[in-house]
C-alpha cells in the first residue's frame, strides 16, 4: 500500500485534531463539514474505515517517519536592519 507524504499526513492529523478538540469543547455536536472531509481523507490515506483507526495508523507512521526538514532561512545579504528611533 502506498503511504502519504509524512508532511501531508502530519498536516491532516494536526488540522483534524484541532477541529475535533474545538468541537468537543463546545459539546457533543456533529462535526463540521471540514472535519468530516479531513476524517474521510485520513481514512482513505491510511486504508481504514474509522477515523480513530486512521489516527492511530497515522500516528504510528509519523512516529516511524524521518523528522520533518526545517525550512532554510533566507540569507540577510543585501538587507538592512530597520533603523531604530532615538529614545
Amino acid at each position: 500500500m502506498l503511504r502519504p507524504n509524512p508532511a501531508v499526513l502530519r498536516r491532516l492529523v494536526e488540522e483534524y485534531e484541532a477541529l475535533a478538540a474545538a468541537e468537543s469543547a463546545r459539546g457533543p455536536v456533529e462535526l463540521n463539514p471540514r472535519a468530516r472531509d479531513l476524517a474521510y481523507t485520513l481514512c482513505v490515506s491510511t486504508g481504514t474505515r474509522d477515523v480513530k483507526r486512521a489516527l492511530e495508523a497515522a500516528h504510528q507512521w509519523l512516529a516511524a517517519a524521518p523528522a520533518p526538514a526545517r525550512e532554510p532561512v533566507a540569507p540577510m545579504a543585501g538587507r538592512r536592519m530597520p533603523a531604530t528611533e532615538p529614545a
Side-chain angles (χ1 to χ4, degrees), residues 31-64:
L31 290 177
N32 71 36
R34 179 63 182 153
R36 281 196 308 266
D37 289 347
L38 288 165
Y40 174 81
T41 304
L42 282 165
C43 287
V44 170
S45 298
T46 58
T48 61
R49 293 180 178 222
D50 176 69
V51 72
K52 290 179 184 178
R53 289 185 183 166
L55 288 169
E56 290 171 3
H59 283 291
Q60 288 176 354
W61 292 355
L62 291 172

